[in-house]
Amino acid sequence: MPAAFGGSPVVWAAWLYYEEGLTQDEIARRIGVSRASVNNLLQTARDEGVVTISVAPAHLSRVSLAQEISERFGIGECLVIPDDDGRRPDHERVGVAGARLLAERLQPDDVLGVSWGRTVLALSEALPFRPLPGLSVVQVTGSAIGTYRFAAELCTSNIANRLGGRCIYLHAPGIVSRPAVKRVLMAEPTVREQFHIIGSCNRIVFGVGSVESSSTAFESGFLTPGEARPYIEAGAVGVLAGRFLDGRGSFVRGSMDDRLIGITLDAIRSVPDRICVAAGPAKVAAIRATMAGGFVTTLVTDQRTATALLEAR
């Protein structure tokens, strides 16, 4: 044994493992003992304080933020990713984190509902290719011409292609011209069957929009400022799947709702696993409303947004 270790096999094993990066098998050969003995030596090093293991403060801070958000807003889980000083857009980084979480969570035979938006698209593009037998991936909001860059169809097909799942589109516009047109479309057998499948989702992934003019919902042309104005005047702070929410997470009703085709807020709330991927200062009020309304079981966001969520009143 090298003299530097003072005759202690515990210190020697700890040095080889933690400082030199050797495996337990390599240490066993170096010292001349069994692998089980190396494991015991390393445990003794931890028990006697020869080695102390701690989590880096930056990681602890994000874990603390995530736990506080989960407890304060009553959601099951929160994943907070580190800030990167603006090197990449918020929606891209949160989408990648959401893809990792979704890939770990999905199971064969799941029915996954998919909304649309920049963050959901980033998630769909970051998913690994991993076939899941029996998986169904379902578009839950109707189509809109202006959303071609991050359309519900594209988000849905990306996920289905990467996971080898059955892709189920919702063959209807997201907003129609008159309530009567909606009633006719909803009576069509094909559309009724698609909504039946939407109702069977056991997981759903979605983003949330603000009511600011720069929001994806307005920029895409899915909604116009004129259509949104009565909702905003009634207290709306966020948009979820085309439906407006106030600060308490309650549904703000308006004339446009009779023309919307897509999953309802009650249907979202009934899905067991509800994953919201969203970040950015402009979305803080909308994210809080979505959690307050009981629409989220898992939130994926970044550190700056998480801090703002806890500071906002």
Side-chain angles (χ1 to χ4, degrees):
M1 181 184 302
F5 300 114
S8 171
V10 171
V11 177
W12 190 13
W15 177 270
L16 293 173
Y17 188 74
Y18 291 103
E19 294 296 329
E20 296 192 16
L22 272 62
T23 66
Q24 292 190 22
D25 286 332
E26 290 170 337
I27 295 169
R29 290 193 293 270
R30 176 80 67 87
I31 295 179
V33 297
S34 68
R35 188 182 187 281
S37 295
V38 172
N39 186 62
N40 290 334
L41 290 170
L42 295 173
Q43 183 61 54
T44 301
R46 292 190 290 270
D47 292 343
E48 295 181 353
V50 173
V51 172
T52 58
I53 300 173
S54 62
V55 181
H59 294 288
L60 281 178
S61 175
R62 295 198 304 275
V63 170
S64 297
L65 282 171
Q67 290 180 335
E68 189 172 351
I69 286 173
S70 297
E71 292 169 4
R72 183 178 300 186
F73 295 99
I75 65 174
E77 185 178 1
C78 178
L79 172 61
V80 177
I81 64 171
D83 294 329
D84 73 342
D85 299 320
R87 289 190 294 273
R88 291 180 65 193
D90 295 336
H91 69 274
E92 288 184 6
R93 297 185 304 108
V94 171
V96 170
R100 290 198 299 267
L101 182 143
L102 185 62
E104 293 172 359
R105 190 170 293 185
L106 281 171
Q107 300 294 320
D109 300 318
D110 275 350
V111 181
L112 173 67
V114 180
S115 185
W116 62 277
R118 290 189 180 92
T119 311
V120 176
L121 178 61
L123 179 154
S124 74
E125 293 174 337
L127 275 171
F129 288 88
R130 180 172 68 91
L132 275 175
L135 175 71
S136 295
V137 186
V138 188
Q139 176 185 340
V140 299
T141 57
S143 305
I145 294 175
T147 64
Y148 67 95
R149 288 177 296 167
F150 29 78
E153 299 94 325
L154 181 58
C155 296
T156 304
S157 62
N158 280 349
I159 294 175
N161 288 338
R162 281 164 170 75
L163 301 177
R166 178 177 63 144
C167 184
I168 302 165
Y169 296 115
L170 177 54
H171 296 298
I175 302 178
V176 295
S177 58
R178 302 185 309 279
V181 176
K182 175 180 176 178
R183 289 192 292 271
V184 170
L185 286 173
M186 293 296 289
E188 284 294 311
T190 300
V191 176
R192 290 173 61 185
E193 176 61 22
Q194 288 161 351
F195 270 90
H196 175 74
I197 298 171
I198 289 173
S200 69
C201 290
N202 66 316
R203 304 186 198 277
I204 186 170
V205 59
F206 56 86
V208 60
S210 74
V211 293
E212 295 188 4
S213 58
S214 58
S215 170
T216 302
F218 300 116
E219 184 184 322
S220 66
F222 186 81
L223 299 171
T224 68
E227 290 171 326
R229 188 174 300 113
Y231 293 91
I232 297 172
E233 291 173 350
V237 299
V239 184
L240 172 59
R243 320 281 174 170
F244 286 85
L245 302 174
D246 66 16
R248 298 184 304 274
S250 298
F251 181 23
V252 180
R253 298 180 180 274
S255 60
M256 191 176 64
D257 298 299
D258 293 331
R259 299 188 288 117
L260 283 174
I261 297 179
I263 191 169
T264 65
L265 294 178
D266 286 340
I268 292 174
R269 201 185 280 113
S270 69
V271 178
D273 189 17
R274 307 182 294 277
I275 303 168
C276 176
V277 287
K283 293 190 175 183
V284 170
I287 297 170
R288 283 175 62 93
T290 307
M291 292 191 290
F295 301 105
V296 180
T297 57
T298 298
L299 173 66
V300 183
T301 191
D302 65 6
Q303 193 165 358
R304 179 177 56 165
T305 305
T307 301
L309 286 168
L310 295 171
E311 291 176 346
R313 295 292 181 222

